[in-house]
């Protein structure tokens, strides 16, 4: 989840938002007191039902959903009350006030797209998976392709984020974190102990990385040497929580983490 220019929303990049957990000091195996009810207003993608949700925990009467023709995965608030979402062949933008689609880029050459990010200068980055490897396209503000690159040794991209250096940061190959550039150069790889399908990675201001470990159902903080310096979640889960797959997450200003615990592709899996 990434807070951007819209002043009243947060956005959750993740799969089925079956359970959203507040991971403040949630240590693996630790007995934790019950967390207080969350009071957040956020956007999340319901992958199993192909819809975008606005969830207002303080005022649930304000909740709404936008249905999509297919399953999307990534989202980003891009200003002017708009949200950007990847599609399987490009991206769409929706107006959050009217809930109508206002922009779409679709092309078969983008087939396999899993993630989309808008940069401050208006460029859009698309990333995805092909049998030949992980790919990225850089699109100009006019939606024309500026360049493309492919990483034939990598697979299983889900979401991409950018470092302050302008490099790509993403999970690949199950347990790895990869930093690379749009010219196709891999700059750094780190294997994450306990990760099973690394889903979402961001860089903190101090240079450490936070990563959601997928079926490892944890978030880890990794320092510049590649060492895990902190872990939230993991086995065994605290009493009363069923942890399955940690997907998108948001680092809040107070240091807390809000993470999506995905529970399955089926529409009824959210009842687990």
């Amino acid at each position: 989840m990434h807070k951007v220019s819209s002043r009243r929303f947060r956005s959750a990049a993740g799969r089925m938002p079956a359970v959203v957990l507040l991971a403040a000091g949630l240590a693996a195996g630790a007995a934790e007191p019950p967390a207080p009810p969350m009071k957040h207003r956020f956007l999340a993608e319901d992958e199993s039902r192909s819809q975008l949700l606005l969830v207002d925990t303080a005022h649930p009467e304000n909740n709404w959903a936008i249905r999509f023709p297919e399953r999307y995965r990534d989202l980003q608030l891009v200003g002017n009350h708009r949200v950007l979402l990847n599609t399987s062949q490009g991206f769409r933008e929706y107006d959050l006030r009217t809930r109508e689609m206002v922009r779409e880029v679709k092309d078969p050459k983008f087939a396999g797209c899993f993630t989309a990010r808008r940069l401050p200068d208006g460029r859009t980055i698309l990333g995805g998976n092909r049998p030949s490897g992980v790919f990225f396209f850089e699109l100009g503000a006019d939606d024309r392709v500026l360049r493309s690159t492919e990483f034939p040794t990598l697979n299983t991209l889900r979401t991409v984020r950018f470092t302050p250096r302008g490099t790509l940061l993403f999970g690949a190959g199950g347990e790895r974190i990869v930093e690379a550039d749009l010219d196709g150069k891999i700059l750094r790889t780190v294997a994450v102990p306990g990760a099973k399908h690394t889903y979402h990675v961001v860089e903190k201001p101090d240079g450490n990385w936070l990563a959601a470990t997928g079926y490892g159902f944890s978030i880890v903080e990794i320092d510049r040497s590649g060492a895990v310096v902190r872990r939230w979640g993991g086995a065994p889960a605290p009493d009363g929580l069923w942890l399955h797959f940690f997907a998108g997450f948001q680092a809040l200003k107070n240091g807390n983490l809000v993470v999506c615990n995905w529970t399955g592709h089926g529409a009824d899996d959210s009842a687990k």
Side-chain angles (χ1 to χ4, degrees):
M1 290 158 48
H2 283 265
K3 184 177 180 182
V4 287
S5 56
S6 183
R7 61 188 175 91
R8 293 187 295 175
F9 290 97
R10 299 183 187 276
S11 62
R15 288 171 150 184
M16 167 67 181
V19 181
V20 181
L21 303 172
L22 182 64
L26 181 61
E32 296 291 330
M38 292 192 302
K39 298 295 183 181
H40 295 296
R41 189 168 185 246
F42 61 91
L43 293 171
E45 285 192 73
D46 181 345
E47 180 244 16
S48 68
R49 296 177 179 85
S50 303
Q51 60 185 354
L52 177 70
L53 304 175
L54 169 71
V55 180
D56 188 337
T57 57
H59 300 283
E61 67 275 9
N62 295 329
N63 294 353
W64 51 250
I66 301 174
R67 296 300 302 268
F68 299 136
E70 60 177 345
R71 293 177 175 180
Y72 303 155
R73 186 175 298 270
D74 202 1
L75 67 145
Q76 178 188 7
L77 292 165
V78 293
N80 197 29
H81 304 282
R82 291 187 178 190
V83 60
L84 168 75
L85 304 107
N86 80 286
T87 68
S88 62
Q89 295 188 21
F91 70 85
R92 285 183 168 190
E93 290 182 26
Y94 284 81
D95 189 306
L96 294 172
R97 296 165 298 184
T98 65
R99 304 175 206 171
E100 298 292 332
M101 186 178 71
V102 293
R103 184 180 178 186
E104 181 175 28
V105 171
K106 182 178 180 180
D107 193 298
K109 64 174 168 283
F110 305 141
C113 181
F114 272 70
T115 184
R117 301 306 290 170
R118 178 66 43 74
L119 301 182
D121 61 4
R123 288 177 296 148
T124 303
I125 306 301
L126 303 178
N129 303 285
R130 298 175 178 141
S132 56
V134 168
F135 70 83
F136 292 96
F137 283 90
E138 178 186 8
L139 280 60
D142 59 0
D143 299 329
R144 291 187 297 177
V145 174
L146 301 178
R147 57 178 162 168
S148 64
T149 190
E150 188 169 289
F151 297 91
T153 63
L154 302 179
N155 57 61
T156 326
L157 167 73
R158 288 301 179 259
T159 64
V160 67
R161 296 298 182 261
F162 281 82
T163 71
R165 299 170 295 286
T167 55
L168 306 165
L169 192 60
F170 55 95
E175 80 290 349
R176 282 186 288 174
I177 298 174
V178 178
E179 182 180 2
D181 63 28
L182 285 168
D183 292 321
K185 183 179 180 181
I186 295 177
L187 305 174
R188 181 184 176 197
T189 62
V190 174
V192 182
K196 300 175 183 178
H197 203 88
T198 303
Y199 191 92
H200 184 78
V201 190
V202 298
E203 183 166 305
K204 295 176 58 184
D206 63 4
N208 286 1
W209 291 344
L210 295 175
T213 64
Y215 290 108
F217 50 85
S218 66
I219 293 177
V220 296
E221 181 174 351
I222 298 171
D223 67 15
R224 294 174 185 270
S225 72
V228 174
V229 296
R230 192 173 183 187
R231 183 184 299 269
W232 296 263
D239 291 343
L241 287 179
W242 183 68
L243 305 182
H244 181 63
F245 186 107
F246 275 18
F249 63 87
Q250 173 78 46
L252 304 182
K253 291 181 179 179
N254 63 4
N256 289 348
L257 300 174
V258 179
V259 58
C260 173
N261 178 41
W262 177 74
T263 53
H265 290 291
D268 295 331
D269 286 334
S270 57
K272 291 179 179 178

